[in-house]
Amino acid sequence: MKSTVQTQRWYGYFFIGLSIVALGLTGLLALPVIDRALLLTTALTLLVYGLTYQQHLSRVIWRVLLVVSLLVGVIDLVLAVTVAPELVTALFSFFLPFAFLSVLLGYLKRRTLA
């Protein structure tokens, strides 16, 4: 039977794989700018989530991921406000459940690793 750490590592690989698929779709599909930005953000989110399951992750990598995530988030927000102001309400209706899910998954991860 696999240990919990091995199972979580495979969960991480799964989310990293989904990130690569989302990134590939961003490059292959002809999409409007706002959809491309959403797919890139999804790819980055899945990558970061997948990396959190990896056991050996240095602080430098965490800081780089944090800076890149914040930068992409700011760019997405600015893009949504300037390109399509009517999408701001949709952005916040997406952001609030996503934030709740992130906090919940982080709590569950901490709970299973403790």
Side-chain angles (χ1 to χ4, degrees):
M1 191 163 118
K2 289 184 184 177
S3 70
T4 304
V5 173
Q6 287 175 329
T7 303
Q8 288 179 342
R9 188 178 314 133
W10 282 107
Y11 286 156
Y13 293 150
F14 174 74
F15 286 114
I16 291 170
L18 282 179
S19 172
I20 293 169
V21 168
L23 188 63
L25 287 174
T26 303
L28 294 175
L29 299 177
L31 297 170
V33 175
I34 197 75
D35 292 338
R36 191 174 303 271
L38 183 61
L39 259 177
L40 283 173
T41 305
T42 303
L44 180 67
T45 303
L46 289 169
L47 176 67
V48 170
Y49 189 66
L51 286 175
T52 59
Y53 279 108
Q54 302 309 313
Q55 210 170 16
H56 303 290
L57 198 63
S58 69
R59 281 190 194 271
V60 174
I61 294 175
W62 270 115
R63 288 182 181 153
V64 168
L65 287 173
L66 179 64
V67 168
V68 170
S69 299
L70 289 174
L71 183 66
V72 168
V74 168
I75 290 171
D76 279 349
L77 186 61
V78 169
L79 186 66
V81 170
T82 57
V83 172
E86 65 274 1
L87 289 178
V88 173
T89 55
L91 177 72
F92 286 122
S93 67
F94 169 76
F95 178 73
L96 290 176
F98 181 72
F100 174 74
L101 181 64
S102 300
V103 169
L104 178 66
L105 290 174
Y107 171 76
L108 292 174
K109 181 179 180 275
R110 177 179 287 171
R111 184 98 170 152
T112 58
L113 293 177

